[in-house]
Amino acid sequence: MKFWNFFHRERMTCQHTGKITLSLISFFCLVMYLAFGCTPLTAGEKSGKKAGERMVKTIDGIDYAFRWCPAGEFMMGSPEDELGREEGETQHRVTLTKGFWMLETEVTQEMWKSVMGNNPSHFKGSNLPVERVSWEDCQDFCQKLRSQGLNVQLPTEAQWEYACRAGTTTSLNNGKNITTSKVDICDNLDEVGWYLYGGMDSRSHPVGQKKPNAWGLYDMHGNVLEWCQDWSGDYPSGSVTDPTGPTSGTYRVSRGGCWLNSVRFCRSAPRCNFRPSARNNYLGLRLILQTEEAKQAAEKREEEARKRAAEEAKSLVDLSNQTSGLEAGTRIVGRIYGVECAFRWCPAGEFMMGSPEGDLRRKKNKTQHRVTLTKGFWMLETEVTQAMWESVMGYNPSHFKGSNLPVERVSWENCQDFCQKLRSLGLNVQLPTEAQWEYACRAGTTTSLNSGKNITSEDGDCSNLNEAGWYRKNSDDETHPVGQKRPNAWGLYDMHGNVWEWCQDWYGDYPSGSVTDPTGPTSGTYRVIRGGSWRNFAERCRSAIRLDCTPTVRGNNLGLRLALVP
């Protein structure tokens, strides 16, 4: 992992400039002070919230205690003479114009399990910090809490450090400095955090056992690193207001040091970065809770954007409902959140699903059987792109970055969230059933490829597949922009290779006889993926290929395509 130490901060100050004008209110306060010894209220006191004030929210019977972090400014970065300082910790003034509530401790395993239904942690204990969670996992956790009325998110890096310091300018948030930068014991750090030497048993510890900072926040030093919302990047050279980091990147920031780190990496200033998919037994999180004012403002912006998107989607819905007399492959185009989306018509019909016994590398789970689809549907012309995904979901989880590249590193569950957001606009979309997927892929063909040709090699170069898809022999080990290869007879691109595409069905054995409008088993452990990917040999990119995958899995070869039902 790559460590960047970045933060020493001067004591937060309030600067008062200009002349004081006595209003009736200030005059009244002065009179009250002179008459009764009352001190005029500060702005923070008027709002009813002081730094460190505690508020508890209960979700699923579990208390989430938050501490108030008022608006203010501080010096982000560390002074050049700070012990343990590393290159890149350039100090710069940061102003945060809005206060926020920060979770008093790191998210515990009890909290995580109650929301997510699992506990990925290596070190088990209900009051231990959850770990082995990726930045992407944290986004899912926050989304599930938001759906239960707790408007949380990961803190920005600036919010994290501001809350950690709580007005201090020293290398630790107890107002003290580290006494060594090495793997050694440091009494000052022992007071506030678990680190490599101080923890000795090399593991995480229950939250809230060490001394809190001035605002009542525990374990900001050590125990587990805490994910932040920001992409990692260089600090600005001048003053900034409400920074949120770079607009894109490869790595996400994590802060605070952990039980595995030496003293120097557990100061208030160091920063670390990881790929958003990284999971380790020293990577956890802490939440911030938006104020009601900020929540309402965000909800207003989201609602305005949703209304605009719904207006765009309406024209696409109207087009999709006009299905009478359409020929296979008829194209309709619309916009969703400003991004163009094209669908192709797949009429009702029947086909032989699976592969014939003579098909190269045929397996028993691809037994041929007749399938009848009684209703036509629209299939997205390409795989869902990163531009489409980000416009709807607000983030881009993909490993290979590019607006016209297929989105990847999305789980089946992520795809359900994506579809639900589109359905809220009036678009009746879902992942295709496995039968719909293969029917659309084949487009009337019976060969192993939808070009009407067969693969000529299982694991070598295949000229026939080169025409239609990206696979191991021509992909250069990465995804490619959608729509570059030859489409099938119905105008659908990239049904072979590029990324695997999630289907709606649970995975199970094919039926032995004919079926109508099949939707797969009613329950199961794995979901179906179809089509092969950039990393697979030709035999795994055939029209009939089917694999099973855990619904929570994400991979840089896992994406999706949508079916739109009129």
Side-chain angles (χ1 to χ4, degrees):
M1 61 185 177
K2 180 179 178 182
F3 285 89
W4 288 0
N5 291 317
F6 261 85
F7 279 55
H8 172 74
R9 176 181 54 142
E10 294 181 354
R11 186 176 301 276
M12 185 179 66
T13 60
C14 291
Q15 296 181 344
H16 301 278
T17 59
K19 297 180 180 180
I20 299 176
T21 303
L22 286 177
S23 64
L24 288 175
I25 295 175
S26 60
F27 177 75
F28 175 74
C29 291
L30 178 61
V31 170
M32 292 293 288
Y33 173 70
L34 293 173
F36 303 102
C38 300
T39 303
L41 295 177
T42 66
E45 290 167 334
K46 286 177 184 176
S47 69
K49 294 192 288 288
K50 297 180 181 179
E53 181 176 325
R54 193 172 192 258
M55 177 179 64
V56 179
K57 298 284 188 179
T58 304
I59 300 291
D60 292 332
I62 296 174
D63 288 343
Y64 291 70
F66 293 87
R67 297 285 185 164
W68 179 246
C69 305
E73 65 177 30
F74 71 110
M75 291 299 291
M76 195 169 184
S78 61
E80 293 183 2
D81 61 351
E82 181 169 297
L83 184 63
R85 183 180 194 268
E86 292 192 341
E87 183 181 356
E89 295 183 15
T90 306
Q91 279 195 310
H92 58 290
R93 185 170 297 280
V94 173
T95 300
L96 299 178
T97 62
K98 296 181 177 65
F100 55 94
W101 296 94
M102 179 165 269
L103 195 63
E104 188 175 78
T105 68
E106 294 151 330
V107 169
T108 64
Q109 293 174 31
E110 181 182 45
M111 294 172 183
W112 185 275
K113 188 173 182 180
S114 72
V115 174
M116 303 298 285
N118 62 59
N119 182 3
S121 306
H122 174 73
F123 304 110
K124 292 291 194 288
S126 61
N127 204 37
L128 290 175
V130 70
E131 19 90 0
R132 290 196 57 78
V133 290
S134 68
W135 184 91
E136 294 161 349
D137 296 333
C138 295
Q139 299 303 308
D140 291 345
F141 179 70
C142 290
Q143 179 58 42
K144 288 181 183 293
L145 281 175
R146 286 194 290 270
S147 70
Q148 297 184 61
L150 202 61
N151 194 34
V152 295
Q153 63 185 43
L154 295 179
T156 65
E157 188 176 10
Q159 286 173 325
W160 189 97
E161 165 128 3
Y162 177 63
C164 173
R165 289 191 177 278
T168 60
T169 61
T170 46
S171 61
L172 300 174
N173 65 15
N174 56 1
K176 301 178 182 181
N177 291 304
I178 61 171
T179 55
T180 177
S181 64
K182 302 176 181 178
V183 180
D184 200 354
I185 196 161
C186 175
D187 291 337
N188 290 344
L189 180 54
D190 266 347
E191 293 179 5
V192 291
W194 300 103
Y195 61 106
L196 183 58
Y197 196 89
M200 285 198 196
D201 50 354
S202 297
R203 56 166 299 142
S204 63
H205 288 259
V207 300
Q209 291 189 332
K210 295 289 186 176
K211 182 179 177 180
N213 71 4
W215 293 351
L217 298 169
Y218 294 88
D219 299 300
M220 302 294 283
H221 298 296
N223 217 8
V224 293
L225 280 155
E226 301 174 14
W227 285 108
C228 292
Q229 189 66 17
D230 311 38
W231 289 109
S232 179
D234 294 336
Y235 279 153
S237 56
S239 299
V240 290
T241 299
D242 297 325
T244 56
T247 56
S248 62
T250 303
Y251 304 96
R252 294 283 184 177
V253 174
S254 62
R255 297 297 304 264
C258 68
W259 58 267
L260 186 61
N261 290 141
S262 59
V263 176
R264 68 187 304 175
F265 293 118
C266 294
R267 295 173 294 126
S268 298
R271 57 197 302 239
C272 181
N273 58 49
F274 295 89
R275 290 191 182 276
S277 58
R279 297 185 181 99
N280 287 299
N281 58 8
Y282 46 80
L283 263 176
L285 74 152
R286 187 184 302 257
L287 303 173
I288 64 166
L289 176 67
Q290 285 188 314
T291 61
E292 190 60 31
E293 179 185 12
K295 176 184 176 182
Q296 290 175 358
E299 288 175 345
K300 183 179 179 180
R301 290 193 299 271
E302 289 175 4
E303 180 59 20
E304 290 173 350
R306 194 198 69 78
K307 286 180 178 178
R308 290 193 297 270
E311 284 298 315
E312 289 179 330
K314 186 177 183 302
S315 62
L316 185 56
V317 171
D318 291 342
L319 285 172
S320 69
N321 287 332
Q322 299 171 20
T323 61
S324 179
L326 292 183
E327 294 183 358
T330 297
R331 187 176 192 255
I332 58 172
V333 181
R335 302 185 78 82
I336 302 173
Y337 283 102
V339 179
E340 185 174 282
C341 302
F343 290 83
R344 296 284 186 165
W345 179 243
C346 304
E350 63 178 34
F351 73 111
M352 292 300 291
M353 189 170 182
S355 56
E357 292 186 4
D359 199 9
L360 194 61
R361 287 298 296 269
R362 178 186 185 272
K363 291 185 172 63
K364 64 179 181 180
N365 66 350
K366 303 179 185 67
T367 306
Q368 271 198 313
H369 57 290
R370 185 169 298 281
V371 173
T372 300
L373 298 178
T374 62
K375 298 177 183 178
F377 57 95
W378 298 92
M379 183 74 99
L380 193 64
E381 188 175 77
T382 68
E383 293 151 331
V384 170
T385 65
Q386 293 173 31
M388 295 175 191
W389 183 275
E390 190 165 7
S391 71
V392 175
M393 302 298 285
Y395 70 95
N396 181 2
S398 305
H399 173 72
F400 303 109
K401 289 293 192 293
S403 61
N404 206 38
L405 291 175
V407 70
E408 18 90 3
R409 293 203 54 78
V410 291
S411 67
W412 184 91
E413 294 173 346
N414 295 149
C415 295
Q416 298 305 307
D417 292 340
F418 179 71
C419 290
Q420 181 55 44
K421 285 182 179 291
L422 291 177
R423 285 195 290 270
S424 72
L425 302 177
L427 288 164
N428 190 23
V429 297
Q430 62 179 38
L431 294 179
T433 65
E434 186 178 9
Q436 286 175 327
W437 190 96
E438 184 169 333
Y439 178 65
C441 173
R442 288 190 177 279
T445 61
T446 58
T447 46
S448 59
L449 299 175
N450 64 17
S451 58
K453 301 177 182 180
N454 291 304
I455 62 170
T456 55
S457 171
E458 296 180 22
D459 54 12
D461 185 71
C462 175
S463 58
N464 289 345
L465 181 54
N466 280 335
E467 295 175 357
W470 300 104
Y471 68 114
R472 190 163 183 165
K473 289 297 182 177
N474 68 2
S475 68
D476 293 326
D477 294 329
E478 62 182 5
T479 60
H480 288 261
V482 300
Q484 290 190 332
K485 292 293 185 177
R486 180 181 296 177
N488 71 4
W490 293 353
L492 298 170
Y493 294 88
D494 300 301
M495 302 293 284
H496 299 299
N498 220 7
V499 292
W500 287 97
E501 300 176 15
W502 286 106
C503 291
Q504 188 67 17
D505 310 38
W506 289 109
Y507 184 88
D509 292 337
Y510 278 160
S512 57
S514 299
V515 289
T516 299
D517 297 324
T519 57
T522 57
S523 62
T525 303
Y526 306 100
R527 296 286 183 175
V528 175
I529 57 174
R530 298 296 302 257
S533 76
W534 58 268
R535 69 194 307 177
N536 295 121
F537 288 118
E539 68 92 7
R540 283 211 163 179
C541 294
R542 293 172 295 120
S543 298
I545 194 71
R546 62 194 302 251
L547 290 185
D548 57 323
C549 201
T550 305
T552 56
V553 166
R554 299 183 181 96
N556 58 10
N557 62 340
L558 266 176
L560 74 152
R561 187 185 303 257
L562 298 175
L564 173 61
V565 181

